[in-house]
Amino acid sequence: MLALVTIVLLVQRRGYSVGAGEPARAVTSSVGIPARSPHSRLVVRESAGAGLVFPLTGALTRVGREVPFADVVIVDEYVSNPHFAIEVDAGRVYTLGEASTNGTRVNGLVLRPHQRVPIEDAAIIEVGQTRLEFAQVPHATSARLPQTCLRIRDKILRSLAEGLRELPQSA
């Protein structure tokens, strides 16, 4: 039971990949990377691992065929090491083409090696025989939410206390 819980937590925190006939396995590197909330994610839409989600947390995430060349590993014989990267710079997100053998396409546009192209939510990235969807994670429910709730609670309690003071005292 403990092993199952550990695997589930590992998959939720780090992402995983499945190739044809292979079991799911953790693939993103955690060495030297502080734990933080994901700013975006890659979702596998077409391949043997369809439906898998890879949270992206760093300023630069390399995608490729194997660790240590890639932070996110795609099990696809036509994917290079690294194949492409997702880069966050000044609040914008970019796809950066690497010198891959089979190329990278973003919404149908073929990236040249080292070409940097801005991407938006729901962009489709094609590498080898795999189609990925880029999705930005909304930050409306970030860590500020509990503080906002506490401020609203405090305002309500102050209003109630003031209202109680204004009630006539019964004899």
Side-chain angles (χ1 to χ4, degrees):
M1 181 67 174
L2 179 59
L4 178 62
V5 170
T6 303
I7 291 169
V8 169
L9 291 174
L10 185 63
V11 166
Q12 288 177 342
R13 288 190 65 204
R14 298 166 91 191
Y16 56 98
S17 180
V18 176
E22 294 183 14
R25 58 191 172 92
V27 294
T28 58
S29 172
S30 63
V31 178
I33 299 174
R36 31 182 179 198
S37 299
H39 53 75
S40 50
R41 62 182 179 249
L42 289 174
V43 181
V44 179
R45 292 296 178 208
E46 289 180 24
S47 85
L52 300 179
V53 176
F54 298 97
L56 307 177
T57 59
L60 181 70
T61 303
R62 295 195 187 282
V63 179
R65 189 175 54 233
E66 58 191 42
V67 173
F69 306 103
D71 303 305
V72 172
V73 172
I74 303 295
V75 180
D76 181 330
E77 65 183 311
Y78 299 102
V79 171
S80 299
N81 269 328
H83 200 99
F84 73 96
I86 301 288
E87 180 181 24
V88 179
D89 184 19
R92 299 269 335 236
V93 183
Y94 299 88
T95 304
L96 178 64
E98 299 286 350
S100 64
T101 304
N102 295 308
T104 303
R105 289 172 303 288
V106 177
N107 293 329
L109 171 72
V110 177
L111 295 183
R112 294 185 311 270
H114 309 293
Q115 181 182 9
R116 187 177 179 215
V117 174
I119 58 173
E120 301 294 330
D121 193 40
I124 299 297
I125 303 168
E126 297 174 86
V127 293
Q129 297 178 336
T130 303
R131 287 175 56 104
L132 303 159
E133 180 181 353
F134 172 79
Q136 291 188 307
V137 175
H139 290 284
T141 58
S142 67
R144 296 177 61 190
L145 181 60
Q147 291 298 322
T148 302
C149 291
L150 290 174
R151 281 195 295 271
I152 292 170
R153 180 202 65 186
D154 291 344
K155 284 182 180 181
I156 291 170
L157 290 175
R158 277 194 299 275
S159 294
L160 285 172
E162 289 172 11
L164 289 174
R165 275 188 239 129
E166 294 176 6
L167 287 176
Q169 297 294 325
S170 59

